[in-house]
Amino acid sequence: MDSKTKNDKKGKNEFENFSNELLKKIGTNNKPKKNRTLIFRSSPILLLITVFLLIFVIFGLTSRNVYTDKISLDQLLRNVEDNKYSQLIIQNDSRVIANGKSYLVAEDNNSLETQVTRGFEIVSLQNLGDQLKSYDVIDQIRTFFGRSSDNITEIVIGDDFIVAKRPLSTNDLMVKDTTKDSFNKYIDENNINLGSLGISVSNLKSFSTLTDVNGLTTRVKNSQIESIWNIDGQIIAKLRSEFIDKSYIDWAPSVYSFTDLLQNEGISLTSENLEVIPNNVPSTITFDDILTVFVLVGFVVLGIIIFRGAQSSGMGIMQFGQSKAKIFFGSKTDTTFKDVAGINEAREELNEIVDFLKNPNKFRKLGARIPKGILMVGAPGTGKTLLARAIAGEAGVPFFHTSGSEFEEMLVGAGASRVRDLFSKAKKAAPSLIFIDEIDAVARKRGTRIQSGTTEQTLNQILVEMDGFEKNVNVIVLAATNRPDVLDPAILRPGRFDRQVRIEVPDADGRKEILTIHGKNKPFDSDVDLEKIAKRTVGFTGADLENILNEAAIIAAKEGKQKINMDDIEEAVSKVILGPAKRSRKRTQNELKLVAYHEAGHAVVSKFTPNSTPVDKISITSRGNTGGVTMFLPETDEYIMSKNKLVADITVGLGGRAAEEVALDDISTGASNDIEKATTVAKRMVQKFGMSKKLGLVQYGDFEEDEYLGYAYSSSKEYSDKTAESIDSEVKEIIDSAYTNALKILNDKRDVLDRVANALLEKEVLSKEEFESLV
């Protein structure tokens, strides 16, 4: 074989080898490979989201202390009153944590096992401070991880001693004859930050509770005690952490609202028996946050699906027709009929409804049917909503609470849809109660200018739901309003609102009961007379009386008092009626003299005018727009006023102007309000009450006055000009006669007027007894 043939054969073999290698590599690359990261490679965003959620979940589940003992708000408040807690930690994450007492205190009777009692090393406050200053980072780390060390772990402050706890293998340190204030002063002066050193401070008064030696011995045997001290015949034992009660409640409102709640319950925020600590919790991820993220993601996905479906079908995605009513079921409100006073008749009528719901057979066997609706009518503040809350607390059936304004919506038909939705839910939960507060917002008379078309549709739907074709529906509707005059007649008929419960302003006995209820958590001094306060607050509603006691508590607290006395309550009454006293207003001696004679004139005329209301207090202290005030205390509540009583009131009201004229030979603008009130009373006597012999028993004019809000919407003149002249003449004659009588009394009793005025200039305020002694 020649060289050329050999070379060709060699080149062919090399080509075949190269081809085989190439085919082998191609075959290898074409084989299917197991790609474990195919999903992540195909979607890197999904990989990032998965990693983020895993970190979110792990960090969220391990970043928060767990308090397994969740209790109710009522239980927490009861435990606070029973002094079971040492600390209330009010956090900004909608949680309130209650730590139980960690120390037990008992008197030594030499029966406790001595081997569990720890010894002390007596040091000075300076020596204790030097040890605290010598801490370094290594010591803090050892203390944190529980490594053996002589470092101080806790400081306990007693009445006259301080104990610094150290590890169990070392004696504790004690500083004798040292108070809490001395220790805090030393810490501040030496800039020692115990928190940064990891040392907790426990005030023994807050963190301890009393026990007996037998109970303490039992705890020692059960290994519940960590350490025991015997200090001057007093045994102090610390519980192990696992035996210290740790509870919590979820509190949605702000930190400040919870402190307001504690104060309203009579719990002092500065008590030595309890530490109330606001705590700013760092922003951490909780399990609730994790659920929230998943829910939000789910809603976004659902919204996209619905939006795409709506685009293809043309359907709307916004739903405004669902009811916004709140439902109370399974847990009662904090109010019952025991908390309602002053409106006994209304309470009895509503208590009958509760009885019907609890014992329906007692009524049905006599043929009685359940009322469909009850309308509570009364002035603002008389307790309509309070009664509804009491019914929710007593009934034991589903209770739906809403207001008239919640049915209103910018979209036509939304209100009617919400009514249907509300009654549909109530019927499913029957027997049930629906409470509509301020129903006049949607139940105004139809066909008037004050009723819109949208609101009329809502009213029509309420009418149909309450008494339509559907029968035997055990749903009772409670409603409240202070505007019964604007309600549509169709909703007031039997079959819809079968009853109207009128809630009147409480009488003297009712006011006393209301004051007693609202004063339960307030410390009163021995001179407080609730009966006198009740007599003085004629016309006050329950809300007004609660406000008075609250103002009295604020006044007493500002002056640093431990109890509320009668002067505080009287000042609160004056503040609510007339405004706060203006002590800073500078008045000349002439102005003070004018005010003194003006107020003395009211009082003296009242004293010597038959049928007048007795004087209770006279003051020339400036309040609001008044330079002074004369207060009267009726002996009984008056519901019907006689002509002589009205004339006496006018005479007393003009006594101030008459005193200015008699004593100062001058008049001022100070009587403008008295003249206005006297004119109003005189006009009503003539035009409305038929107390004029000349004009007879005829009402002149249309008095459309709201019974509860106390003002007229409109008035029309339905008499001639000649009659108007007669009315003016009669009104002037009543006022002139009363003023002449006031002048006569003051001229006859000039010496009394001078004595009262001079006493006012000297004291500024005269009580009833002081005024009587001057007269």
PDB file of all heavy atoms in Angstrom, residues 36-57:
ATOM      1  N   ARG A  36     -34.120  20.213  38.696  1.00  0.00           N
ATOM      2  CA  ARG A  36     -34.826  20.423  39.956  1.00  0.00           C
ATOM      3  C   ARG A  36     -35.238  21.864  40.180  1.00  0.00           C
ATOM      4  O   ARG A  36     -36.085  22.143  41.027  1.00  0.00           O
ATOM      5  CB  ARG A  36     -33.946  19.963  41.121  1.00  0.00           C
ATOM      6  CG  ARG A  36     -33.612  18.480  41.043  1.00  0.00           C
ATOM      7  CD  ARG A  36     -32.727  18.059  42.190  1.00  0.00           C
ATOM      8  NE  ARG A  36     -32.422  16.638  42.101  1.00  0.00           N
ATOM      9  CZ  ARG A  36     -31.633  16.005  42.965  1.00  0.00           C
ATOM     10  NH1 ARG A  36     -31.081  16.674  43.968  1.00  0.00           N
ATOM     11  NH2 ARG A  36     -31.407  14.709  42.825  1.00  0.00           N
ATOM     12  N   THR A  37     -34.664  22.797  39.494  1.00  0.00           N
ATOM     13  CA  THR A  37     -34.976  24.227  39.677  1.00  0.00           C
ATOM     14  C   THR A  37     -35.758  24.790  38.502  1.00  0.00           C
ATOM     15  O   THR A  37     -35.708  25.974  38.232  1.00  0.00           O
ATOM     16  CB  THR A  37     -33.675  25.032  39.849  1.00  0.00           C
ATOM     17  OG1 THR A  37     -32.862  24.856  38.692  1.00  0.00           O
ATOM     18  CG2 THR A  37     -32.918  24.562  41.085  1.00  0.00           C
ATOM     19  N   LEU A  38     -36.466  23.876  37.796  1.00  0.00           N
ATOM     20  CA  LEU A  38     -37.194  24.327  36.608  1.00  0.00           C
ATOM     21  C   LEU A  38     -38.245  25.380  36.965  1.00  0.00           C
ATOM     22  O   LEU A  38     -38.391  26.376  36.267  1.00  0.00           O
ATOM     23  CB  LEU A  38     -37.851  23.117  35.940  1.00  0.00           C
ATOM     24  CG  LEU A  38     -38.652  23.411  34.658  1.00  0.00           C
ATOM     25  CD1 LEU A  38     -37.741  24.013  33.593  1.00  0.00           C
ATOM     26  CD2 LEU A  38     -39.328  22.139  34.145  1.00  0.00           C
ATOM     27  N   ILE A  39     -38.963  25.141  38.067  1.00  0.00           N
ATOM     28  CA  ILE A  39     -40.032  26.078  38.439  1.00  0.00           C
ATOM     29  C   ILE A  39     -39.456  27.453  38.743  1.00  0.00           C
ATOM     30  O   ILE A  39     -39.950  28.475  38.281  1.00  0.00           O
ATOM     31  CB  ILE A  39     -40.810  25.539  39.643  1.00  0.00           C
ATOM     32  CG1 ILE A  39     -41.485  24.220  39.272  1.00  0.00           C
ATOM     33  CG2 ILE A  39     -41.844  26.552  40.126  1.00  0.00           C
ATOM     34  CD1 ILE A  39     -42.207  23.576  40.436  1.00  0.00           C
ATOM     35  N   PHE A  40     -38.377  27.458  39.553  1.00  0.00           N
ATOM     36  CA  PHE A  40     -37.804  28.733  39.962  1.00  0.00           C
ATOM     37  C   PHE A  40     -37.144  29.446  38.789  1.00  0.00           C
ATOM     38  O   PHE A  40     -37.179  30.664  38.693  1.00  0.00           O
ATOM     39  CB  PHE A  40     -36.806  28.522  41.099  1.00  0.00           C
ATOM     40  CG  PHE A  40     -37.434  27.920  42.324  1.00  0.00           C
ATOM     41  CD1 PHE A  40     -36.936  26.753  42.875  1.00  0.00           C
ATOM     42  CD2 PHE A  40     -38.543  28.504  42.907  1.00  0.00           C
ATOM     43  CE1 PHE A  40     -37.518  26.201  43.988  1.00  0.00           C
ATOM     44  CE2 PHE A  40     -39.127  27.955  44.035  1.00  0.00           C
ATOM     45  CZ  PHE A  40     -38.620  26.793  44.575  1.00  0.00           C
ATOM     46  N   ARG A  41     -36.489  28.634  37.893  1.00  0.00           N
ATOM     47  CA  ARG A  41     -35.864  29.261  36.726  1.00  0.00           C
ATOM     48  C   ARG A  41     -36.904  29.828  35.798  1.00  0.00           C
ATOM     49  O   ARG A  41     -36.677  30.818  35.115  1.00  0.00           O
ATOM     50  CB  ARG A  41     -34.992  28.216  35.989  1.00  0.00           C
ATOM     51  CG  ARG A  41     -33.710  27.923  36.740  1.00  0.00           C
ATOM     52  CD  ARG A  41     -32.974  26.747  36.167  1.00  0.00           C
ATOM     53  NE  ARG A  41     -32.739  26.886  34.733  1.00  0.00           N
ATOM     54  CZ  ARG A  41     -32.156  25.946  33.984  1.00  0.00           C
ATOM     55  NH1 ARG A  41     -31.760  24.816  34.558  1.00  0.00           N
ATOM     56  NH2 ARG A  41     -31.997  26.128  32.689  1.00  0.00           N
ATOM     57  N   SER A  42     -38.049  29.174  35.741  1.00  0.00           N
ATOM     58  CA  SER A  42     -39.102  29.678  34.851  1.00  0.00           C
ATOM     59  C   SER A  42     -39.777  30.915  35.426  1.00  0.00           C
ATOM     60  O   SER A  42     -40.376  31.678  34.694  1.00  0.00           O
ATOM     61  CB  SER A  42     -40.135  28.577  34.596  1.00  0.00           C
ATOM     62  OG  SER A  42     -40.752  28.235  35.831  1.00  0.00           O
ATOM     63  N   SER A  43     -39.728  31.099  36.787  1.00  0.00           N
ATOM     64  CA  SER A  43     -40.389  32.256  37.413  1.00  0.00           C
ATOM     65  C   SER A  43     -39.535  32.754  38.578  1.00  0.00           C
ATOM     66  O   SER A  43     -39.748  32.360  39.726  1.00  0.00           O
ATOM     67  CB  SER A  43     -41.790  31.872  37.902  1.00  0.00           C
ATOM     68  OG  SER A  43     -42.413  32.984  38.508  1.00  0.00           O
ATOM     69  N   PRO A  44     -38.549  33.612  38.350  1.00  0.00           N
ATOM     70  CA  PRO A  44     -37.716  34.129  39.441  1.00  0.00           C
ATOM     71  C   PRO A  44     -38.515  34.977  40.425  1.00  0.00           C
ATOM     72  O   PRO A  44     -38.180  35.031  41.603  1.00  0.00           O
ATOM     73  CB  PRO A  44     -36.656  34.967  38.709  1.00  0.00           C
ATOM     74  CG  PRO A  44     -37.244  35.263  37.375  1.00  0.00           C
ATOM     75  CD  PRO A  44     -38.132  34.107  37.047  1.00  0.00           C
ATOM     76  N   ILE A  45     -39.590  35.635  39.971  1.00  0.00           N
ATOM     77  CA  ILE A  45     -40.419  36.443  40.882  1.00  0.00           C
ATOM     78  C   ILE A  45     -41.104  35.546  41.903  1.00  0.00           C
ATOM     79  O   ILE A  45     -41.188  35.873  43.092  1.00  0.00           O
ATOM     80  CB  ILE A  45     -41.466  37.240  40.074  1.00  0.00           C
ATOM     81  CG1 ILE A  45     -40.755  38.233  39.150  1.00  0.00           C
ATOM     82  CG2 ILE A  45     -42.430  37.971  41.000  1.00  0.00           C
ATOM     83  CD1 ILE A  45     -41.691  39.017  38.270  1.00  0.00           C
ATOM     84  N   LEU A  46     -41.561  34.345  41.421  1.00  0.00           N
ATOM     85  CA  LEU A  46     -42.191  33.399  42.340  1.00  0.00           C
ATOM     86  C   LEU A  46     -41.198  32.929  43.393  1.00  0.00           C
ATOM     87  O   LEU A  46     -41.549  32.733  44.561  1.00  0.00           O
ATOM     88  CB  LEU A  46     -42.746  32.215  41.552  1.00  0.00           C
ATOM     89  CG  LEU A  46     -43.486  31.145  42.378  1.00  0.00           C
ATOM     90  CD1 LEU A  46     -44.694  31.755  43.059  1.00  0.00           C
ATOM     91  CD2 LEU A  46     -43.915  30.000  41.472  1.00  0.00           C
ATOM     92  N   LEU A  47     -39.939  32.747  42.986  1.00  0.00           N
ATOM     93  CA  LEU A  47     -38.908  32.356  43.937  1.00  0.00           C
ATOM     94  C   LEU A  47     -38.729  33.421  45.018  1.00  0.00           C
ATOM     95  O   LEU A  47     -38.682  33.114  46.218  1.00  0.00           O
ATOM     96  CB  LEU A  47     -37.591  32.112  43.194  1.00  0.00           C
ATOM     97  CG  LEU A  47     -36.350  31.862  44.078  1.00  0.00           C
ATOM     98  CD1 LEU A  47     -36.538  30.600  44.891  1.00  0.00           C
ATOM     99  CD2 LEU A  47     -35.099  31.785  43.211  1.00  0.00           C
ATOM    100  N   LEU A  48     -38.665  34.692  44.617  1.00  0.00           N
ATOM    101  CA  LEU A  48     -38.488  35.780  45.578  1.00  0.00           C
ATOM    102  C   LEU A  48     -39.676  35.870  46.546  1.00  0.00           C
ATOM    103  O   LEU A  48     -39.503  36.064  47.750  1.00  0.00           O
ATOM    104  CB  LEU A  48     -38.305  37.105  44.836  1.00  0.00           C
ATOM    105  CG  LEU A  48     -36.991  37.266  44.062  1.00  0.00           C
ATOM    106  CD1 LEU A  48     -36.990  38.573  43.275  1.00  0.00           C
ATOM    107  CD2 LEU A  48     -35.808  37.239  45.020  1.00  0.00           C
ATOM    108  N   ILE A  49     -40.900  35.737  45.989  1.00  0.00           N
ATOM    109  CA  ILE A  49     -42.096  35.809  46.845  1.00  0.00           C
ATOM    110  C   ILE A  49     -42.110  34.674  47.854  1.00  0.00           C
ATOM    111  O   ILE A  49     -42.425  34.858  49.034  1.00  0.00           O
ATOM    112  CB  ILE A  49     -43.361  35.783  45.974  1.00  0.00           C
ATOM    113  CG1 ILE A  49     -43.454  37.073  45.141  1.00  0.00           C
ATOM    114  CG2 ILE A  49     -44.616  35.632  46.838  1.00  0.00           C
ATOM    115  CD1 ILE A  49     -44.618  37.084  44.166  1.00  0.00           C
ATOM    116  N   THR A  50     -41.717  33.442  47.406  1.00  0.00           N
ATOM    117  CA  THR A  50     -41.710  32.286  48.307  1.00  0.00           C
ATOM    118  C   THR A  50     -40.710  32.483  49.443  1.00  0.00           C
ATOM    119  O   THR A  50     -41.015  32.235  50.612  1.00  0.00           O
ATOM    120  CB  THR A  50     -41.362  31.018  47.513  1.00  0.00           C
ATOM    121  OG1 THR A  50     -42.288  30.862  46.436  1.00  0.00           O
ATOM    122  CG2 THR A  50     -41.411  29.802  48.419  1.00  0.00           C
ATOM    123  N   VAL A  51     -39.505  32.937  49.081  1.00  0.00           N
ATOM    124  CA  VAL A  51     -38.487  33.174  50.107  1.00  0.00           C
ATOM    125  C   VAL A  51     -38.951  34.246  51.079  1.00  0.00           C
ATOM    126  O   VAL A  51     -38.804  34.118  52.308  1.00  0.00           O
ATOM    127  CB  VAL A  51     -37.150  33.565  49.452  1.00  0.00           C
ATOM    128  CG1 VAL A  51     -36.137  33.983  50.515  1.00  0.00           C
ATOM    129  CG2 VAL A  51     -36.599  32.401  48.633  1.00  0.00           C
ATOM    130  N   PHE A  52     -39.539  35.314  50.539  1.00  0.00           N
ATOM    131  CA  PHE A  52     -40.002  36.414  51.395  1.00  0.00           C
ATOM    132  C   PHE A  52     -41.087  35.938  52.364  1.00  0.00           C
ATOM    133  O   PHE A  52     -41.048  36.253  53.566  1.00  0.00           O
ATOM    134  CB  PHE A  52     -40.544  37.542  50.523  1.00  0.00           C
ATOM    135  CG  PHE A  52     -41.211  38.637  51.298  1.00  0.00           C
ATOM    136  CD1 PHE A  52     -40.476  39.561  52.025  1.00  0.00           C
ATOM    137  CD2 PHE A  52     -42.597  38.748  51.316  1.00  0.00           C
ATOM    138  CE1 PHE A  52     -41.098  40.560  52.749  1.00  0.00           C
ATOM    139  CE2 PHE A  52     -43.226  39.749  52.031  1.00  0.00           C
ATOM    140  CZ  PHE A  52     -42.463  40.661  52.749  1.00  0.00           C
ATOM    141  N   LEU A  53     -42.044  35.162  51.858  1.00  0.00           N
ATOM    142  CA  LEU A  53     -43.121  34.685  52.727  1.00  0.00           C
ATOM    143  C   LEU A  53     -42.601  33.730  53.799  1.00  0.00           C
ATOM    144  O   LEU A  53     -43.067  33.749  54.944  1.00  0.00           O
ATOM    145  CB  LEU A  53     -44.205  34.002  51.889  1.00  0.00           C
ATOM    146  CG  LEU A  53     -45.071  34.942  51.039  1.00  0.00           C
ATOM    147  CD1 LEU A  53     -46.068  34.136  50.210  1.00  0.00           C
ATOM    148  CD2 LEU A  53     -45.811  35.935  51.920  1.00  0.00           C
ATOM    149  N   LEU A  54     -41.614  32.872  53.442  1.00  0.00           N
ATOM    150  CA  LEU A  54     -41.048  31.964  54.441  1.00  0.00           C
ATOM    151  C   LEU A  54     -40.355  32.739  55.561  1.00  0.00           C
ATOM    152  O   LEU A  54     -40.535  32.452  56.753  1.00  0.00           O
ATOM    153  CB  LEU A  54     -40.056  31.001  53.770  1.00  0.00           C
ATOM    154  CG  LEU A  54     -40.671  29.883  52.928  1.00  0.00           C
ATOM    155  CD1 LEU A  54     -39.587  29.082  52.211  1.00  0.00           C
ATOM    156  CD2 LEU A  54     -41.515  28.961  53.803  1.00  0.00           C
ATOM    157  N   ILE A  55     -39.581  33.749  55.179  1.00  0.00           N
ATOM    158  CA  ILE A  55     -38.920  34.585  56.197  1.00  0.00           C
ATOM    159  C   ILE A  55     -39.955  35.315  57.032  1.00  0.00           C
ATOM    160  O   ILE A  55     -39.837  35.416  58.256  1.00  0.00           O
ATOM    161  CB  ILE A  55     -37.957  35.577  55.511  1.00  0.00           C
ATOM    162  CG1 ILE A  55     -36.829  34.819  54.803  1.00  0.00           C
ATOM    163  CG2 ILE A  55     -37.385  36.559  56.538  1.00  0.00           C
ATOM    164  CD1 ILE A  55     -35.920  35.697  53.968  1.00  0.00           C
ATOM    165  N   PHE A  56     -40.985  35.814  56.366  1.00  0.00           N
ATOM    166  CA  PHE A  56     -42.060  36.546  57.032  1.00  0.00           C
ATOM    167  C   PHE A  56     -42.741  35.667  58.082  1.00  0.00           C
ATOM    168  O   PHE A  56     -42.977  36.093  59.228  1.00  0.00           O
ATOM    169  CB  PHE A  56     -43.072  36.982  55.954  1.00  0.00           C
ATOM    170  CG  PHE A  56     -44.045  38.036  56.401  1.00  0.00           C
ATOM    171  CD1 PHE A  56     -43.712  39.363  56.364  1.00  0.00           C
ATOM    172  CD2 PHE A  56     -45.302  37.677  56.849  1.00  0.00           C
ATOM    173  CE1 PHE A  56     -44.612  40.328  56.769  1.00  0.00           C
ATOM    174  CE2 PHE A  56     -46.203  38.630  57.262  1.00  0.00           C
ATOM    175  CZ  PHE A  56     -45.852  39.977  57.214  1.00  0.00           C
ATOM    176  N   VAL A  57     -43.040  34.415  57.694  1.00  0.00           N
ATOM    177  CA  VAL A  57     -43.735  33.508  58.610  1.00  0.00           C
ATOM    178  C   VAL A  57     -42.849  33.122  59.786  1.00  0.00           C
ATOM    179  O   VAL A  57     -43.261  33.182  60.946  1.00  0.00           O
ATOM    180  CB  VAL A  57     -44.206  32.247  57.857  1.00  0.00           C
ATOM    181  CG1 VAL A  57     -44.718  31.194  58.830  1.00  0.00           C
ATOM    182  CG2 VAL A  57     -45.287  32.616  56.854  1.00  0.00           C
TER     183      VAL A  57
END
